[in-house]
Amino acid sequence: MLNINNEEFVNLKNDNAKMHFDIKENEDFLSITLKITYLPISEYAIVFIMGNREYTAAIFKTEKEKNLQKIINIEKNKVESFNKIEIVDIYSGEILFDYENEKELDIPFFDEKRKESEKNILKEDINIIKEENELMDLNLNNQIKLEDEKEEKDYKEDKNSILEKKDQLEILEDLFNIFSNKNDEVNNKEMNDEEEINQEFEFKEQEDKEDKNKIKKIINANNILIDDVLKDFSLENFSDLNNNYKFYIMDEYEENINDINIIYNGFVMPILYPYMGFKNKNLENAILPSWIFGKFFKDEEVKYYIYGVLGSKKDNTQPFMGSTGFIYYEPTVYDGFGYWLMYISVSTGKICLL
């Protein structure tokens, strides 16, 4: 059971804001109670870190700076293995608070046992070193004795040994010539090996360029296919959006839609995948389409892909409680209807906070 009481987030800005929290584990949900003091008025995301994966669990607003309390329920299976929680300002993207879930246990008994063990190991090491030193001294004395005997024997050799050495020198010269040729062969082989290694690096660099070109081709192909396959959804349906946006009706039964892929969280996925089949059943008879897809332009280039699911702020229709990235609500001109939007960076494929 995961139950945490009155833990404090670390304030990374060193200002007067403070945050404490409780986590209570229920059957299917984690209930998080945030106790907030002097937190500036803004919108914040609660982000759970699981290894290399990030999960935006919820978004909350502050309407006053002093003594605020928020209770948030999160699906337990989404975050039960988390090792860190971050509180992020949505508008600036700045991490204001964090909490590490991993703590090292302080067990004095095992610390003492470890120290005793280290002492015993140290004693054993000292004894081994002493034995090795004694053996080295013995070997050194024997070596000196052998060298003296050898010098005495060499001194007693007659002059004929000089002739033998001369013959040996000639043999060594012949061997040197033979091995010189061998060395040349070895050097040539090493040079060839080095050329092969350089070719491997060149090939890897070429592969990287090919991967980048594939990504560019996917992005360019998307923009062509999207315009050809999907039907336009008029921007006039929205109350507040400007001409930097362009939207389409996402018809899941359109056969040609299977030809369109996007880069999503680092993988090439079918364009329908991020919807995960979510629809608001009580809005299925609405005059607006259940799903829309959009582009956001900056300097005449597509910067974000946008996924939209029909919903309403009144009926708690936010897809997956915002956990998969549908965290922005845009009203339409039709009273009570709007779209929950998720933004994906075209260049990285990552879900973005604007």
Side-chain angles (χ1 to χ4, degrees):
M1 292 289 290
L2 176 64
N3 287 301
I4 299 175
N5 294 314
N6 202 33
E7 283 288 341
E8 184 175 5
F9 280 98
V10 177
N11 186 332
L12 302 178
K13 290 194 69 176
N14 295 320
D15 57 14
N16 293 327
K18 292 183 180 179
M19 291 188 69
H20 291 75
F21 70 99
D22 301 333
I23 296 181
K24 185 177 180 181
E25 182 176 349
N26 299 315
E27 186 175 350
D28 297 318
F29 290 88
L30 294 179
S31 181
I32 300 180
T33 302
L34 295 177
K35 304 162 191 175
I36 306 165
T37 308
Y38 296 117
L39 188 63
I41 296 171
S42 186
E43 288 190 55
Y44 300 93
I46 304 175
V47 181
F48 282 74
I49 312 296
M50 286 78 67
N52 294 326
R53 187 166 64 89
E54 295 185 0
Y55 176 80
T56 303
I59 303 292
F60 68 91
K61 291 182 179 180
T62 55
E63 298 172 353
K64 56 181 181 178
E65 290 193 359
K66 191 174 180 181
N67 297 334
L68 182 66
Q69 183 166 304
K70 293 282 185 181
I71 298 176
I72 298 162
N73 292 322
I74 301 170
E75 293 180 64
K76 186 169 65 175
N77 60 352
K78 300 284 188 181
V79 298
E80 60 185 351
S81 60
F82 77 92
N83 56 288
K84 191 175 185 180
I85 307 174
E86 294 177 344
I87 306 296
V88 180
D89 188 319
I90 288 179
Y91 298 110
S92 67
E94 187 177 9
I95 301 171
L96 305 182
F97 293 88
D98 69 10
Y99 168 76
E100 297 282 352
N101 192 31
E102 296 179 357
K103 291 187 177 180
E104 186 176 344
L105 295 178
D106 184 15
I107 307 177
F109 172 77
F110 287 107
D111 287 345
E112 291 174 3
K113 288 293 182 184
R114 186 176 69 241
K115 289 177 182 177
E116 290 179 6
S117 175
E118 289 173 353
K119 287 180 182 178
N120 291 333
I121 291 171
L122 183 59
K123 288 179 182 178
E124 291 175 3
D125 289 344
I126 291 171
N127 291 333
I128 290 171
I129 291 170
K130 285 182 178 178
E131 291 175 1
E132 288 179 348
N133 287 340
E134 291 175 359
L135 185 61
M136 286 176 64
D137 290 341
L138 181 61
N139 289 338
L140 184 60
N141 291 333
N142 289 336
Q143 185 177 353
I144 292 171
K145 185 177 180 181
L146 288 172
E147 286 178 355
D148 290 342
E149 290 176 355
K150 185 175 181 301
E151 285 181 3
E152 186 177 353
K153 183 179 179 181
D154 290 342
Y155 182 76
K156 291 179 181 179
E157 284 183 351
D158 56 16
K159 295 181 181 180
N160 291 333
S161 63
I162 298 174
L163 296 174
E164 291 176 4
K165 288 181 180 179
K166 183 179 179 182
D167 294 337
Q168 290 175 358
L169 182 61
E170 291 175 355
I171 292 171
L172 288 173
E173 287 177 352
D174 292 336
L175 287 173
F176 175 78
N177 292 330
I178 292 171
F179 279 101
S180 292
N181 295 331
K182 293 287 183 183
N183 286 335
D184 290 341
E185 293 176 5
V186 170
N187 288 335
N188 290 334
K189 184 177 183 305
E190 287 177 351
M191 289 177 66
N192 292 334
D193 290 344
E194 188 174 345
E195 288 176 1
E196 288 180 5
I197 291 170
N198 289 335
Q199 289 174 359
E200 287 179 6
F201 278 117
E202 289 173 3
F203 184 69
K204 180 70 173 70
E205 187 176 350
Q206 184 179 353
E207 276 186 339
D208 292 339
K209 288 181 180 177
E210 288 175 357
D211 288 343
K212 290 178 180 178
N213 290 334
K214 285 178 183 177
I215 290 172
K216 288 181 180 178
K217 285 179 181 178
I218 290 171
I219 294 170
N220 292 333
N222 275 351
N223 294 324
I224 294 170
L225 288 171
I226 288 166
D227 288 329
D228 288 344
V229 172
L230 302 183
K231 297 177 181 178
D232 287 346
F233 181 72
S234 175
L235 196 61
E236 294 177 359
N237 288 310
F238 288 101
S239 306
D240 304 322
L241 297 182
N242 58 33
N243 291 328
N244 290 330
Y245 292 83
K246 181 174 177 58
F247 283 95
Y248 308 84
I249 298 171
M250 182 66 82
D251 181 1
E252 60 186 309
Y253 301 107
E254 166 64 52
E255 292 182 2
N256 293 329
I257 209 170
N258 296 322
D259 297 329
I260 307 175
N261 295 300
I262 67 163
I263 302 165
Y264 177 71
N265 279 346
F267 299 94
V268 178
M269 305 295 292
I271 195 170
L272 286 173
Y273 177 78
Y275 289 110
M276 298 184 186
F278 184 92
K279 289 182 181 178
N280 289 307
K281 293 184 178 179
N282 56 335
L283 300 178
E284 283 183 342
N285 296 323
I287 61 174
L288 294 169
S290 296
W291 293 345
I292 59 172
F293 182 85
K295 301 176 186 177
F296 177 82
F297 295 86
K298 186 174 182 180
D299 299 330
E300 298 183 353
E301 290 188 0
V302 183
K303 186 174 183 182
Y304 299 112
Y305 289 138
I306 306 165
Y307 281 80
V309 175
L310 182 63
S312 169
K313 265 208 167 180
K314 298 178 182 178
D315 301 327
N316 194 22
T317 56
Q318 185 177 16
F320 309 106
M321 298 173 65
S323 60
T324 60
F326 289 95
I327 59 175
Y328 298 99
Y329 182 80
E330 283 295 337
T332 66
V333 294
Y334 300 93
D335 189 34
F337 292 98
Y339 284 91
W340 289 99
L341 303 182
M342 171 174 65
Y343 288 76
I344 296 177
S345 168
V346 171
S347 58
T348 67
K350 300 292 185 182
I351 297 170
C352 297
L353 294 174
L354 301 184

